Amino acid sequence: ILLLLPPSRDNIKKLIEYNITPTVYNISHLILINENKFNLPIEIEIDTGIGRSGCKNEMFYKMKEYIKENAMNLRAIYTHLYDKNNYYNCKNQLNEFKKYKCDIKGVKYHIGGAYAICHGSEFLLDEIRLGIGLFGLADMKEIGCNLKPVLELKSKICDIIDLKKGDRIGYHKNEIIFKNDCKLAILNLGYTHGYPNIKYPKAKVNNKVCDIIGGINMMNCCVDISGIEDVNIGDWVDIYSINENDQNNILNLSELNKEYERDEFNMNNELMNNNT
């Protein structure tokens, strides 16, 4: 397992305990590992344009010499693609990356994941990092490579309740007062389980996409199943649909909430401008 971050004094013992391979791009990272007297595998990140992390030429060769002098376990060297859909920029990064030579025996090289695969065999070095490509979520249609989404999330209905016109549900921020009678399916799924508190959550019940209303709470959420027949406690509900055409497919949910975020960002900017 490759950690795309350098080690720190806070996590070095956990890295050792679970045999996690940290990224290094500074002499200080190597000194920290060496101080702990453990042959932890490491990988060097090269900055070929991402800017936020990685080392450049002079630091790389200093690190390489330190690794050789201290017999450290350099497993691989890699870089990040910063413009993954643009072949020409990726090719320039590949050419830059190939300039970093290492004479340590057995060291592997990798430049990217699913996007790199689609640019051709020249990007397939010793290894690849699949990332979200593993779940079929990398959006590569513009470079002519379509992946099938395979990420799916389900939850069971733990209760079904009937609410009348005028009843309310949810905390104050997400409060809903019903204008009509309503039937809700309660799921034991909330943000404590990792479900994000997004603006437009959806779920699929009996092949129909329904709204999750009243906000995402710590331990549960409520699905509006009004008008849907034959729904029972214990039934499975699709939170993230595997069907890429469904509104609650994770990519479609992401796009839906991006629009909300853009609108909210523009509104906040307008308010700031007015106040100024």
Side-chain angles (χ1 to χ4, degrees), residues 75-138:
R75 206 199 72 81
I77 300 171
Y78 75 90
T79 193
H80 274 296
L81 298 176
Y82 69 86
D83 191 8
K84 54 190 180 294
N85 283 332
N86 187 309
Y87 169 79
Y88 298 101
N89 285 342
C90 291
K91 176 69 173 177
N92 288 336
Q93 281 191 263
L94 176 62
N95 291 337
E96 178 67 20
F97 184 52
K98 285 182 175 179
K99 295 176 183 177
Y100 290 80
K101 307 295 184 183
C102 184
D103 54 358
I104 299 175
K105 189 176 179 180
V107 173
K108 307 290 186 183
Y109 290 83
H110 51 97
I111 190 170
Y115 291 90
I117 295 170
C118 292
H119 283 310
S121 59
E122 62 190 314
F123 289 87
L124 302 182
L125 305 179
D126 298 312
E127 300 174 335
I128 57 172
R129 306 187 303 273
L130 278 177
I132 59 173
L134 184 66
F135 304 101
L137 298 180

Side-chain angles (χ1 to χ4, degrees), residues 27-120:
I27 285 286
S28 63
H29 304 152
L30 299 179
I31 293 171
L32 176 62
I33 294 169
N34 205 34
E35 281 177 350
N36 283 270
K37 306 297 181 188
F38 190 87
N39 197 27
L40 188 68
I42 56 177
E43 299 202 13
I44 296 177
E45 181 187 352
I46 305 296
D47 178 13
T48 59
I50 196 71
R52 66 180 184 228
S53 59
C55 63
K56 294 196 182 287
N57 200 287
E58 185 179 351
M59 178 59 73
F60 170 72
Y61 289 105
K62 282 183 180 179
M63 292 174 67
K64 189 179 75 164
E65 290 308 310
Y66 185 95
I67 288 168
K68 290 166 70 174
E69 289 169 6
N70 292 277
M72 298 183 74
N73 183 7
L74 178 61
R75 206 199 72 81
I77 300 171
Y78 75 90
T79 193
H80 274 296
L81 298 176
Y82 69 86
D83 191 8
K84 54 190 180 294
N85 283 332
N86 187 309
Y87 169 79
Y88 298 101
N89 285 342
C90 291
K91 176 69 173 177
N92 288 336
Q93 281 191 263
L94 176 62
N95 291 337
E96 178 67 20
F97 184 52
K98 285 182 175 179
K99 295 176 183 177
Y100 290 80
K101 307 295 184 183
C102 184
D103 54 358
I104 299 175
K105 189 176 179 180
V107 173
K108 307 290 186 183
Y109 290 83
H110 51 97
I111 190 170
Y115 291 90
I117 295 170
C118 292
H119 283 310

Side-chain angles (χ1 to χ4, degrees), residues 4-21:
L4 300 177
L5 293 169
S8 69
R9 296 197 180 276
D10 292 332
N11 69 16
I12 186 70
K13 290 183 179 178
K14 287 293 182 183
L15 296 178
I16 294 169
E17 181 181 353
Y18 295 112
N19 197 30
I20 303 296
T21 301

